[in-house]
Amino acid sequence: MEFITETLAGFTAMSHWEYLAVALSMAYLLLAIKESLWCWPAAFFSTLIYTIMYWNGALLMESLLHFYYMYMAVYGWVIWRKGSADQHGLVITSWRLKQHFAIISLTSIVAVIFGYIMTNYTHAEFAYLDSFTTCFAVVTTYLVAKKVLENWLYWIVIDAASMYLYYEKGYYPTLALFIFYTIMAAWGFKTWYEEYEQNQAKPLAQL
């Protein structure tokens, strides 16, 4: 009962700005699925709100990550507006396990370094977990841009870890959004995997 009371209190206490950010984030996802150019303005303004919110909530790495997302929103708008032939011609690929091992190892090292710095020289909370989700989100965003099939598996882990951060900080609408993101990431992997098998006519890349 206490958990339910605290959760409901968290929802009612949230700023209208966070609800707007959640709505814009969902709009971005739906518009992106439809390949609508207007997904990028939705992404830009949602990340702007989150950047400020995370900074005020002492999730500094999350705040910095959303500066990167804002840049990507502008970049996406420019590329989609030009109607890049390369973008439309990009096919889904699968990277080898040793490539993912290298990515995970190097990104983890960088995340630990950032976590140490944030723990000892800033007022950041959950510094190491915040750093891990941030560093891996940066790398995974690149994997999305390259249409690497396994990006969805990275997002499932990142989103699940982020859910713990948002629960601890009391960002309940955003927590609900990331539950939705996690489910969508699983569905995205299934969809991309089916398309990859159909187009490539071969199983996932092996070692």
Side-chain angles (χ1 to χ4, degrees):
M1 181 63 70
E2 182 179 353
F3 169 77
I4 296 176
T5 302
E6 290 179 356
T7 302
L8 291 175
F11 273 101
T12 56
M14 283 300 98
S15 165
H16 292 302
W17 287 106
E18 187 182 357
Y19 284 111
L20 177 59
V22 169
L24 288 171
S25 296
M26 296 184 72
Y28 157 75
L29 181 60
L30 295 174
L31 289 169
I33 291 173
K34 295 181 177 181
E35 299 184 78
S36 170
L37 180 66
W38 293 100
C39 71
W40 298 114
F44 180 87
F45 286 108
S46 67
T47 52
L48 175 61
I49 295 171
Y50 277 126
T51 299
I52 298 171
M53 187 180 77
Y54 292 147
W55 183 268
N56 290 337
L59 295 178
L60 305 188
M61 291 299 290
E62 288 292 322
S63 182
L64 292 175
L65 174 62
H66 279 70
F67 272 112
Y68 169 71
Y69 285 159
M70 281 193 288
Y71 164 78
M72 291 300 293
V74 174
Y75 177 78
W77 168 271
V78 172
I79 293 300
W80 282 33
R81 191 173 185 181
K82 288 181 178 180
S84 169
D86 290 338
Q87 179 187 20
H88 292 296
L90 197 62
V91 297
I92 298 172
T93 60
S94 175
W95 285 5
R96 295 178 179 273
L97 290 178
K98 62 182 180 180
Q99 291 175 284
H100 290 293
F101 179 78
I103 290 172
I104 293 171
S105 299
L106 292 175
T107 307
S108 295
I109 292 172
V110 173
V112 169
I113 294 173
F114 273 110
Y116 177 83
I117 294 172
M118 302 298 278
T119 296
N120 291 280
Y121 301 103
T122 74
H123 66 288
E125 300 179 12
F126 306 101
Y128 284 99
L129 181 57
D130 193 12
S131 295
F132 268 88
T133 57
T134 299
C135 291
F136 274 95
V138 169
V139 173
T140 305
T141 300
Y142 172 78
L143 297 182
V144 175
K146 299 294 290 184
K147 276 198 173 181
V148 177
L149 171 64
E150 293 80 10
N151 87 83
W152 295 110
L153 301 179
Y154 284 83
W155 281 126
I156 291 173
V157 177
I158 294 168
D159 292 343
S162 297
M163 284 161 51
Y164 174 76
L165 282 178
Y166 302 141
Y167 171 75
E168 288 296 323
K169 296 301 297 183
Y171 298 152
Y172 295 113
T174 302
L175 169 61
L177 176 65
F178 270 72
I179 292 174
F180 173 73
Y181 278 171
T182 304
I183 296 171
M184 291 299 292
W187 180 76
F189 178 78
K190 178 180 181 295
T191 302
W192 279 32
Y193 176 73
E194 291 173 350
E195 181 177 343
Y196 173 82
E197 280 200 318
Q198 180 179 357
N199 293 339
Q200 302 295 325
K202 60 181 180 181
L204 294 180
Q206 302 299 316
L207 282 170

